[in-house]
Amino acid sequence: MAKESLLGSSIGRKFAMALSGMFLMSFLIIHLACNLTSLFPDDGSTYNAVSEFMGYNWIIQYILQPVLTFGIIYHFVMALVLTARNKKARPVKYAMNSPAANSSWMSRNMLVTGGVILAFFLLHFIDFWFPEMNLKYIEFAPNDPERFFPELQHKFSNPIRVTAYVIAFVLLMLHLLHGAQSSFQSVGFNNKKYTPTVKTASKWFAILVPVGFILIAVYHYFNSLM
Ligand code: HEM
């Protein structure tokens, strides 16, 4: 620590990684809340209004969206850096090392589950984000405030896409089951009284958020069959 600055040290990198993870978790709550409005029995009018607000509010578009993009890239790049440094620090595994007994599958496979989420991002951006950016900033098409809900319904009428999304959401759950509670540990939150509550809340967050996304995708798929 003496030679390295806090953010350049291993603890500093873990801290920064945890903070970026917490930031992405707060995005997930907002994103889920916005998308859950597509389940309202109002023919998509709330979802259209929310999507238009999120898509045209300048603070969201020009400040929060770039911050989010940076947060996502930072989180993934730091994950690779941390893994590479850990491997370098301990190239030969301890003879007594028994990973399965000492840690969960989730904690040992954060890079795998994170990689699947990254692949999901590519699919998801091709589905929703790139067409939106193209419409607004390349074609400069006039705004149709009713377009968001039919687009969502159309995307989730494809069973292959819905299956790919559901698989990604299950991996997101596995990623969060370790990541959510570990982020609190990494930022140094350690309190005899509150740590068990934080652990339980993290677990519920890790389960309920992906289940909410699964519900949205599956609901719109079955709705498209009627
Ligand atoms: C059923 C589930 C989901 C639906 C219906 C959905 C819908 C959308 C839509 C419509 C957009 C484009 C917003 C715009 O720019 O106008 C978007 C963007 C995005 N989504 Fe999702 N999403 C879902 C799940 C997820 C999940 C689980 C994640 C993260 C793990 C995620 C991450 C993102 C990101 C990073 C963006 C780009 C930033 C933004 O524009 O907000 N989405 N999503």
Side-chain angles (χ1 to χ4, degrees):
M1 183 77 80
K3 260 202 260 167
E4 291 180 292
S5 70
L6 182 64
L7 284 182
S9 70
S10 159
I11 295 172
R13 275 189 292 270
K14 267 200 94 152
F15 187 88
M17 179 84 193
L19 275 189
S20 62
M22 284 172 155
F23 169 67
L24 294 179
M25 287 194 285
S26 62
F27 159 74
L28 276 181
I29 295 176
I30 297 168
H31 201 50
L32 177 64
C34 292
N35 286 315
L36 279 175
T37 63
S38 72
L39 304 182
F40 289 2
D42 61 1
D43 293 324
S45 61
T46 308
Y47 178 77
N48 279 332
V50 168
S51 301
E52 200 197 7
F53 173 78
M54 298 299 275
Y56 286 90
N57 181 284
W58 72 267
I59 298 177
I60 293 171
Q61 285 297 298
Y62 302 121
I63 299 177
L64 294 185
Q65 198 153 275
V67 172
L68 175 66
T69 309
F70 175 79
I72 293 171
I73 296 171
Y74 183 86
H75 193 71
F76 280 103
V77 171
M78 278 308 260
L80 294 176
V81 172
L82 267 171
T83 310
R85 298 256 172 161
N86 286 348
K87 279 214 170 114
K88 215 170 137 196
R90 193 184 301 161
V92 183
K93 289 190 174 153
Y94 295 132
M96 295 294 285
N97 194 357
S98 169
N102 297 328
S103 58
S104 70
W105 183 92
M106 274 89 80
S107 69
R108 279 179 279 118
N109 289 282
M110 289 302 276
L111 216 54
V112 175
T113 51
V116 175
I117 297 167
L118 197 59
F120 159 75
F121 275 174
L122 191 67
L123 174 67
H124 191 48
F125 285 8
I126 292 171
D127 279 347
F128 290 107
W129 196 63
F130 293 153
E132 243 335 272
M133 295 297 116
N134 181 48
L135 202 79
K136 280 191 300 207
Y137 302 119
I138 295 174
E139 286 180 6
F140 293 108
N143 177 24
D144 169 10
E146 311 273 285
R147 71 176 184 280
F148 305 99
F149 190 62
E151 271 163 19
L152 182 79
Q153 286 183 310
H154 171 68
K155 289 278 153 54
F156 288 127
S157 62
N158 179 337
I160 299 172
R161 179 182 284 112
V162 172
T163 308
Y165 270 54
V166 169
I167 293 172
F169 297 157
V170 171
L171 278 128
L172 174 67
M173 186 186 293
L174 296 176
H175 194 77
L176 291 173
L177 273 170
H178 174 71
Q181 62 143 317
S182 157
S183 65
F184 285 94
Q185 247 172 20
S186 300
V187 295
F189 183 85
N190 200 352
N191 179 293
K192 232 183 181 172
K193 197 169 160 200
Y194 296 113
T195 296
T197 313
V198 167
K199 276 193 174 178
T200 310
S202 302
K203 199 164 129 191
W204 279 109
F205 171 86
I207 294 169
L208 289 180
V209 168
V211 164
F213 283 119
I214 291 172
L215 197 74
I216 296 165
V218 170
Y219 172 85
H220 288 296
Y221 173 66
F222 283 112
N223 218 19
S224 75
L225 300 178
M226 289 181 204

